[in-house]
Amino acid sequence: MTRAQVFSSEIVEKARSIVARYPQSRSALLPMLHLVQSVQGHVSQEGIDFCAEQLGLSEAEVSAVVTFYTMYKRRPCGEHLVSVCTNTLCAALGGDAIYARLSEQFGVGHEETAGEPGEPGSITLEHVECLAACDLAPVLQVNYEYYDKQTPESAAELVAALRRGEKPAPTRGAPLSDFKGAELQLAGFFPEDEETYRSEVDGRSQAVETLRGAALARDRGWTAPVMEDVPLPEVGTK
């Protein structure tokens, strides 16, 4: 399949609208790569060529970014990307056990896919660094939506539901999309219908645990000390 067949005129138009957001076209590379993933489910060589052509960059410049960030996948992903946090706190509270259970039960390792990539019910499993939700550990994400306070059993049930074609509601945040749909939103494209858009973004994102410190400060009248103005050193001085 040629690049023109993969990236339709509609995708080219979206790419141009991304470029138009930035004073320098090369700044559009990150959302452009998400756009590529929304089409292919990963960043292929055709996707690298497409980005290079749209932005006036070399293939090497685009490849350097693709291979630096783990959010850009070099192999086709499943309908859903399951990301298990195995950083220190999550690992200690069960993240390692969750990853091991999912890997064994569904027969996949890191960045491997159960089912045919892109097909309904297919899942790609990965272990990831901190997901910034330590107060709700252990956590995992599906297409970047949070599922908090997981156990090996609840995580296995969640992934089994995904494999059956279901979309269990995240603990907080927007309703679950698929991987390509999430990538399209990361590229900056949302449903045109206002009601649909609001239903997707107005999900509960705050957690009691996360706001506990702020609540204590409010209830006890705690405030942060006012910082005095400190003059900044002049350029070229130490």
Side-chain angles (χ1 to χ4, degrees), residues 120 178 220 234:
D178 58 20
R220 300 183 183 185
E234 296 181 6

Side-chain angles (χ1 to χ4, degrees), residues 155-224:
E157 182 178 341
L158 167 63
V159 176
L162 296 174
R163 294 285 283 138
R164 293 193 298 268
E166 301 171 17
K167 291 184 177 179
T171 307
R172 52 200 165 92
L176 185 64
S177 176
D178 58 20
F179 177 68
K180 288 183 178 180
E183 287 296 305
L184 188 60
Q185 293 196 21
L186 288 171
F189 298 97
F190 301 90
E192 293 183 2
D193 178 67
E194 182 71 15
E195 184 176 345
T196 300
Y197 173 69
R198 288 298 172 192
S199 71
E200 290 190 0
V201 301
D202 282 349
R204 185 176 70 90
S205 60
Q206 299 174 334
V208 173
E209 294 86 348
T210 305
L211 299 177
R212 183 57 179 156
L216 281 172
R218 180 198 62 213
D219 295 342
R220 300 183 183 185
W222 295 341
T223 57

